[in-house]
Amino acid sequence: NCHLSPGHHPSRNGVITTDELSRYYLIIMVDLSVTLAGVPLTSCVYNASGPRTGSSAAMSKIAKSASGGVLAKSATISSQKGNDLPRTWHEDNGKASLNSEGLPNSGIDYYIDPKTVSETMGESPTKPYMVSISGKNIADNLQMLQKISSTIESGSMNIAAVELNLACPNIVGKPTIGYDFEQMEDVMKQVASLPCFSGSKPLFPLGVKMPPYFDRPHFEMAAAILNKYKHIVSYAASINTIGNALAIDFHAEMPVIRAKGGFAGLSGAAVKYTALANVKQMRELLDNSIDVVGVGGVQTGRDAFELILCGATAVQVGTCHWTEGPGCFDRICDELKTIMKDKGYGTVEDFRGKLKEWSKEGVALSRQMKMASKKSSTSGETQLTSSNNNSSLIIAILFAIIAVLLADKLNIVSL
């Protein structure tokens, strides 16, 4: 009998029969639910602010999916149309996307209106509804936070959390706050001075959307500021798009994006590895009281698994939701559950932040698993080929019988 314990694939500890494996799977009830910044999520996978989040009609589809919650479009004080079209682009192979939307949205009043929330959440009142804000300046952000506070205090609706966008690189002429550490310090100081954060406990959990960092000193400076304000910062979402990317229309010899000379934020599968590194480093540097949300390049359950392995409490999906629609949440969650079952994990906490150090043993195990997978695939193809050959033979025999019967019926031959 092999020993089975969470964190170990059955095949790593010896031979196990199909029946034993089935019983093992029945014992392990995979649970994707997590608590993010004190907010219960029905699944660790939910939507990023941006794609398909501008209206209650769009957000209601997220609420009906396997997404653990609903995060609204990043709001400004007033509604705005955003940059000129075309402002988005998707590479044909699906590996990368660009956007320079300029924050088109319906304004903060729309996203905190009880009617909007009711239309969004519908029959999913157990899921949290969260708001994202991205003012053009600190004054706008402070005003929106005060509006949200007033709405919550009035008791007219429940806003589970607020995400403050410090990472939007797409507004013409505006700096990215997350790269200007002096400005970032000033923003956090002014936010902390608001009445909603001045008590012993914040009125609501506050998250911050961070830009991608590439140098260790920058990680350290950003984390130091967030740690300084850990009494108000509940989570950090990392990463936003990688700014100032450029894609060219080969035939027209021009940028594919109209605004800002074609420069735009890079997202999709291409940014996954930058996201993994950012999540890993932010988790190492941030105070344990601040959760990390992994964002960037999540297209599969494996992508989500890897971000959680690096320390993310939850994972947001943006570009994939944009291109595939809300059905992506069901698929990604199912894939993640399968991975957890295969590895013997029952909950997200079983593997969160438990990325192992590189080792020769790990390389050997990886090689063994790849060879086993390749062998299984080859075996499956052989069986399929054999099955196809058998089917072809049966069809040929049937055609021959039909031909003989027809010939007899037409008196061409006599049986």
Side-chain angles (χ1 to χ4, degrees), residues 148-159:
I148 293 168
S149 298
S150 298
T151 301
I152 294 175
E153 289 175 331
S154 70
S156 59
M157 63 171 289
N158 181 29
I159 297 175

Side-chain angles (χ1 to χ4, degrees), residues 34 36 41 43-46 292-295 308 312-316 352:
V34 296
L36 172 67
L41 301 181
S43 165
C44 59
V45 180
Y46 69 109
V292 176
V293 175
V295 198
I308 296 169
T313 296
V315 171
Q316 291 180 359
R352 184 175 68 84

Side-chain angles (χ1 to χ4, degrees), residues 324-365:
E324 186 178 332
C328 72
F329 298 108
D330 301 72
R331 177 182 57 77
I332 292 172
C333 285
D334 285 344
E335 291 173 357
L336 179 56
K337 285 181 178 180
T338 298
I339 290 171
M340 290 171 64
K341 284 180 179 180
D342 287 345
K343 289 180 172 287
Y345 296 122
T347 70
V348 171
E349 282 302 308
D350 287 342
F351 64 95
R352 184 175 68 84
K354 295 181 180 178
L355 182 67
K356 300 173 184 177
E357 293 290 333
W358 184 94
S359 68
K360 291 182 179 179
E361 294 78 12
V363 171
L365 174 62

Side-chain angles (χ1 to χ4, degrees), residues 2 94 98 133 155 174 176 179 186 206 221 299 303 310 347 370 407:
C2 69
L98 294 182
I133 61 173
K174 301 296 180 182
T176 298
Y179 288 142
D186 181 57
L206 177 70
M221 286 187 278
Q299 295 184 311
D303 297 331
C310 285
T347 70
K370 289 177 181 177

Side-chain angles (χ1 to χ4, degrees), residues 101-327:
E101 291 195 303
L103 291 177
N105 71 96
S106 298
I108 187 60
D109 289 338
Y110 173 80
Y111 297 107
I112 61 175
D113 188 320
K115 183 174 182 290
T116 300
V117 180
S118 176
E119 291 175 347
T120 295
M121 304 312 292
E123 299 177 357
S124 305
T126 57
K127 291 185 178 181
Y129 175 81
M130 297 163 278
V131 174
S132 174
I133 61 173
S134 186
K136 294 181 179 180
N137 50 57
I138 181 58
D140 285 357
N141 281 326
L142 295 177
Q143 185 178 344
M144 285 190 284
L145 287 169
Q146 289 172 325
K147 279 177 171 284
I148 293 168
S149 298
S150 298
T151 301
I152 294 175
E153 289 175 331
S154 70
S156 59
M157 63 171 289
N158 181 29
I159 297 175
V162 176
E163 189 170 286
L164 174 61
N165 190 348
L166 303 180
C168 187
N170 298 328
I171 302 175
V172 178
K174 301 296 180 182
T176 298
I177 297 173
Y179 288 142
D180 183 347
F181 298 113
E182 183 177 344
Q183 182 185 186
M184 182 176 167
E185 165 76 32
D186 181 57
V187 168
M188 298 310 301
K189 181 179 180 180
Q190 292 194 52
V191 169
S193 69
L194 291 175
C196 57
F197 297 116
S198 60
S200 58
K201 182 181 179 182
L203 184 60
F204 50 82
L206 177 70
V208 289
K209 183 70 170 286
M210 304 299 290
Y213 296 106
F214 304 93
D215 293 330
R216 181 69 177 188
H218 293 165
F219 282 105
E220 293 172 347
M221 286 187 278
I225 293 173
L226 297 184
N227 285 338
K228 182 178 179 180
Y229 293 95
K230 64 182 181 181
H231 60 291
I232 69 166
V233 177
S234 298
Y235 76 83
S238 181
I239 59 175
N240 195 37
T241 56
I242 298 177
N244 291 308
L246 180 67
I248 304 298
D249 184 320
F250 171 78
H251 301 289
E253 301 179 9
M254 67 180 189
V256 297
I257 299 291
R258 181 177 180 180
K260 295 176 61 181
F263 295 104
L266 175 66
S267 65
V271 309
K272 171 188 167 182
Y273 304 100
T274 300
L276 287 170
N278 274 254
V279 167
K280 180 70 165 61
Q281 298 217 52
M282 292 303 276
R283 183 62 281 161
E284 290 176 355
L285 294 167
L286 288 175
D287 187 86
N288 289 334
S289 65
I290 302 175
D291 290 329
V292 176
V293 175
V295 198
V298 178
Q299 295 184 311
T300 66
R302 178 171 174 171
D303 297 331
F305 177 84
E306 291 177 358
L307 281 168
I308 296 169
L309 195 65
C310 285
T313 296
V315 171
Q316 291 180 359
V317 182
T319 301
C320 185
H321 177 213
W322 188 7
T323 57
E324 186 178 332

